[in-house]
Amino acid sequence: METLNINNNARKEDKYKELLPQILSLIEGESDVVANLANIAAALTEAFCFFWCGFYKVSGKELVLGPFQGPIACTRIGYGKGVCGTAWKESKTVVVEDVDKFPGHIACSALSRSEIVVPIFKDGAVAAVLDIDSKELSTFDLTDARYLEELCRHIKL
Ligand code: SME
């Protein structure tokens, strides 16, 4: 596949339904993790025009920046720190409607207003997170959580 087939007029749920199988077919034949994470970040950004979309991988007691699309970001985040470290610590998706109201939010960019972080598991433990930032308030909801969690279940780290 060389281009994504995306209907930009579709509602969010239909867009995810259209996009997920395309992403899965993009990564299923490739064993290199960096290549797959890079293409997932690119595909999600192409479909939804996210401000920032990328991955942090667990390395010891920190998360380390992985493949992403968007402005430069902080490279390391401690366990339990920020939205990413909280999703790691709690092993669950965190949806933040207004980053200014999330205690300890790490502002890689002052333009980011809302955020979703989805953990990715390997052998039962969080091994990475998918982090997406928006320049608008309340961009993410349970629909994003549901489909992004489904996507993350298919990511082999
Ligand atoms: N806002 C995140 C930090 C990562 S950037 O958004 C890319 C956080 O609070 O963990």
Side-chain angles (χ1 to χ4, degrees):
M1 185 209 313
E2 299 200 353
T3 53
L4 293 175
N5 181 11
I6 300 157
N7 176 1
N8 281 317
N9 295 319
R11 43 190 199 119
K12 179 156 75 175
E13 180 157 20
D14 292 332
K15 236 170 155 179
Y16 276 116
K17 280 184 184 160
E18 202 174 45
L19 184 66
L20 252 57
Q22 296 181 69
I23 294 182
L24 298 188
S25 81
L26 196 60
I27 65 173
E28 72 185 357
E30 177 53 63
S31 58
D32 188 274
V33 177
V34 172
N36 285 337
L37 298 185
N39 255 344
I40 293 169
L44 288 170
T45 301
E46 189 177 330
F48 291 102
C49 299
F50 291 133
F51 172 60
W52 197 95
C53 174
F55 295 91
Y56 282 90
K57 285 181 73 183
V58 171
S59 175
K61 292 180 178 165
E62 292 177 316
L63 291 166
V64 181
L65 183 64
F68 69 95
Q69 296 268 316
I72 58 168
C74 39
T75 51
R76 290 175 184 267
I77 296 172
Y79 180 73
K81 304 291 182 192
V83 187
C84 292
T86 300
W88 176 18
K89 186 177 176 185
E90 295 182 359
S91 295
K92 67 171 200 205
T93 298
V94 179
V95 175
V96 180
E97 292 191 1
D98 180 350
V99 296
D100 289 339
K101 295 191 177 136
F102 188 94
H105 167 258
I106 300 164
C108 292
S109 165
L111 296 175
S112 177
R113 308 287 303 282
S114 61
E115 182 165 359
I116 185 169
V117 180
V118 181
I120 305 168
F121 296 88
K122 183 178 185 180
D123 301 328
V126 177
V129 298
L130 166 61
D131 178 18
I132 307 179
D133 288 28
S134 166
K135 285 202 278 187
E136 278 85 49
L137 291 170
S138 306
T139 293
F140 307 103
D141 56 23
L142 288 176
T143 299
D144 300 276
R146 178 181 157 201
Y147 286 99
L148 294 172
E149 284 171 5
E150 188 182 330
L151 171 62
C152 286
R153 278 195 290 276
H154 286 88
I155 297 175
K156 293 185 185 68
L157 294 169

